[in-house]
Amino acid sequence: MMLKKKSLVTSMLTVASVSSLLAFHSVANAQDTADSKLNVRTNSLLRVPANIPQEHIYDSGISIPYPEDGVKGVYLQAFRAKGQDLENMIQFVKSTPINSLVIDVRDGYGQITMPLETDNQQVKKHTVNEVPDTTALLKRLEKEQIYPIARIVCFGDRFVPRENSERSFRNALGQLWYTDDGETFLNPFLKENWEYIAEIAIGAAKAGFKDIQLDYVRFPLGFETVSEDLVYDKGDYAHIKDDDEARIAAITDFVAFIREKLQPYGVHLSADILAHAITESKIGGIGQKFVNIADKVDVISPMIFPSHWVNYALDVKDPDKNPYEIVKRYMVIEKGYIKTLNPSPISRPWIQAFTADFLGEGNYQLYTADIISKEIQALKEAGVTEYLLWNAASQYSSEINF
C-alpha cells in the first residue's frame, strides 16, 4: 500500500470538484442522523452461497468468528507475524479494543509472504516465507480469537512483469514500463493476471484467513496521462472506446471474478479504495469507481488519510493538521453512496496512524495517540463501528482512544 507512505498529488482531486460534491451530498444527507449505522450488515455475501450446499463449503480447520462489535484492526508486516514480534502484537491487541490483524499475504512488491496450498508454480516461485508456517500463525490467532485479514496486493508487482512484459505495460520500444516511482504493474485487463491473484486469494482462504482484502485493485496512478504512449493488451475490453470506462469495467469485473472464486470458502471479501474515488464518479485513469467496487464486496475500505488530500480539499485548510474534519466530511459523502446499495457493504475505513513528514516542514503534524483518536472519534460520530489503522512499520500506541 505504497500510497499510504507518501504524498501522491496525481491522485488528488481539485478543490472545486470536491467542494461542489460535498455541498451536494451534505444537502442530500441532511436528515441522516449521527447514530445511523453504516456497519449494519455483518453476514457475508460469501459465507453461505445460495448455490452451494453447506457441506461443500471448505473447512480450513481454523475457527475465528467475525467480531461481534465489528472489526477494529491494525496492519502487521508479514515478517513481524512470527516469534516475539507476533507475541508483542498479540499482547497489544489483548490490551486494547483491537480485535483484528491485517497481514500481508502478497506484499507491495508482489512477493507471497507465506506458504500456501497451491499447485501454481508461479505462486510457489515468488513465495519468500517471511512467515515460515502459515498454519502455526493461524492457530496462534485462533487461540486468542484475533480475526485474521489477508492483505493481497493485486496489480502492483515487481517480479512477474520482469519475467513476462506482455503481462504488463511496455513503452514504444517494447521495453517494460516503470512508473515514476519505479513500480511495475500487472495489466488488469488480462484474465491471466486475474487467475494468478485468485490462486493466492484461494490459498489464503484455505489457510484459515477469514477476510480476503484486495489492495492495489487499480491501474497505476496517473495511468491516463501515459496510456496512449504505451503498448498493452486490452483483452476483452478492446471494444470499449472510452478508455476510462474500459478500465472501470476491468476493475469491476476483476472484483466480481475474485468474489465468485472465493464463494466455496466462506470468507469475507474486502477491497481497499482511494478515498478520492468516492468524490468523483471515477478517479483519473485507475479504474476505481466506488459504487461499482462496493457493490461487489462485503467490506469497502476507503483510505481516508488526511495527509493525502490537497490543501482545502473538502473545504479543509491544512488537511493533515485537521484529521477530524477530513474524516467527518468524507463520511458525509460516503454515506450517501452506501445507502444506495442493496445489500450495502460494511464501511471499514483505513485511517492514518503515521506521521506524514514527506509533506515538508509546516505542512504536517506528529500523529500522536491524541491525533489518531480524533480520526476514530469522527468515525464513531458518523456511525462507523469498524476501522483499520495503517502504520507501515506496524507501530501503534495503546493510548489511542479506540
Side-chain angles (χ1 to χ4, degrees):
M1 200 176 287
M2 298 298 181
L3 177 63
K4 304 180 179 73
K5 300 179 184 178
K6 56 190 174 184
S7 179
L8 290 166
V9 178
T10 56
S11 72
M12 308 309 173
L13 298 176
T14 63
V15 176
S17 65
V18 175
S19 298
S20 61
L21 279 161
L22 178 62
F24 170 80
H25 288 289
S26 295
V27 172
N29 298 306
Q31 54 190 340
D32 286 347
T33 58
D35 62 349
S36 61
K37 301 297 184 183
L38 290 181
N39 302 37
V40 295
R41 182 169 62 83
T42 57
N43 61 303
S44 171
L45 292 171
L46 309 175
R47 188 164 299 283
V48 186
N51 60 334
I52 300 179
Q54 182 63 41
E55 63 269 19
H56 292 163
I57 298 297
Y58 186 90
D59 182 6
S60 68
I62 300 295
S63 178
I64 307 174
Y66 201 94
E68 291 184 3
D69 297 330
V71 166
K72 297 173 179 62
V74 297
Y75 166 70
L76 179 64
Q77 296 164 296
F79 76 87
R80 297 185 186 276
K82 62 179 183 293
Q84 191 57 50
D85 282 340
L86 177 61
E87 295 305 316
N88 291 342
M89 180 56 74
I90 288 173
Q91 291 308 309
F92 168 77
V93 170
K94 293 174 67 175
S95 67
T96 69
I98 292 297
N99 54 33
S100 308
L101 293 177
V102 180
I103 303 172
D104 285 327
V105 171
R106 186 175 190 266
D107 66 19
Y109 297 103
Q111 298 175 129
I112 293 87
T113 65
M114 59 190 72
L116 301 175
E117 181 184 330
T118 179
D119 294 326
N120 187 293
Q121 294 304 308
Q122 196 164 46
V123 173
K124 292 180 178 180
K125 178 179 180 180
H126 296 298
T127 299
V128 295
N129 289 355
E130 290 181 341
V131 175
D133 190 332
T134 312
T135 300
L137 167 62
L138 273 300
K139 285 289 186 182
R140 184 72 185 92
L141 297 182
E142 180 184 42
K143 180 179 180 181
E144 303 296 342
Q145 289 295 281
I146 297 173
Y147 188 74
I149 302 172
R151 175 181 178 246
I152 295 178
V153 170
C154 295
F155 297 112
D157 191 316
R158 298 192 181 186
F159 297 99
V160 176
R162 295 177 185 179
E163 297 167 358
N164 185 353
S165 63
E166 292 185 357
R167 290 179 61 178
S168 183
F169 307 100
R170 290 163 289 161
N171 61 28
L173 298 176
Q175 301 165 327
L176 181 62
W177 172 74
Y178 291 78
T179 69
D180 290 342
D181 296 316
E183 296 181 307
T184 53
F185 272 70
L186 294 173
N187 179 355
F189 284 125
L190 301 183
K191 301 292 177 63
E192 182 181 7
N193 291 334
W194 296 12
E195 292 282 0
Y196 179 54
I197 301 304
E199 187 68 18
I200 298 166
I202 290 170
K206 286 182 176 181
F209 281 94
K210 301 306 177 184
D211 191 308
I212 306 301
Q213 180 190 87
L214 306 178
D215 198 4
Y216 275 66
V217 57
R218 58 176 174 81
F219 285 77
L221 291 169
F223 187 73
E224 73 283 2
T225 66
V226 298
S227 61
E228 291 186 1
D229 299 322
L230 299 179
V231 177
Y232 57 94
D233 187 351
K234 289 183 68 174
D236 294 342
Y237 302 89
H239 68 283
I240 302 177
K241 301 304 181 183
D242 185 297
D243 287 340
D244 279 335
E245 293 302 325
R247 288 187 281 265
I248 289 171
I251 293 299
T252 302
D253 291 348
F254 165 73
V255 176
F257 175 83
I258 297 296
R259 171 181 170 176
E260 181 178 359
K261 288 289 187 178
L262 289 175
Q263 278 193 340
Y265 301 97
V267 294
H268 281 72
L269 177 64
S270 58
D272 299 338
I273 189 169
L274 302 187
H276 313 83
I278 200 173
T279 50
E280 292 184 316
S281 60
K282 55 192 179 187
I283 180 169
I286 67 173
Q288 286 188 347
K289 188 171 183 179
F290 182 88
V291 292
N292 289 35
I293 295 176
D295 188 49
K296 301 293 187 292
V297 295
D298 297 297
V299 178
I300 192 74
S301 291
M303 298 175 279
I304 310 181
F305 314 122
S307 63
H308 285 57
W309 297 85
V310 296
N311 202 21
Y312 288 106
L314 304 182
D315 285 337
V316 177
K317 185 177 185 298
D318 296 325
D320 191 70
K321 297 180 180 180
N322 292 283
Y324 173 84
E325 284 298 325
I326 285 292
V327 174
K328 175 184 177 180
R329 296 181 184 214
Y330 168 82
M331 290 312 307
V332 169
I333 299 172
E334 184 181 284
K335 288 173 70 175
Y337 284 104
I338 288 284
K339 69 182 183 182
T340 68
L341 301 174
N342 185 21
S344 59
I346 293 170
S347 178
R348 185 195 295 161
W350 278 104
I351 60 173
Q352 181 171 329
F354 59 89
T355 296
D357 53 1
F358 51 76
L359 294 176
E361 186 174 354
N363 298 315
Y364 71 93
Q365 64 179 326
L366 292 176
Y367 266 60
T368 62
D370 287 343
I371 299 301
I372 297 168
S373 296
K374 291 180 180 179
E375 296 178 275
I376 297 174
Q377 177 188 350
L379 290 176
K380 289 180 178 179
E381 291 177 1
V384 178
T385 60
E386 301 202 3
Y387 50 82
L388 302 170
L389 276 64
W390 176 269
N391 181 288
S394 304
Q395 297 178 354
Y396 309 95
S397 171
S398 59
E399 297 180 3
I400 296 171
N401 184 12
F402 296 104

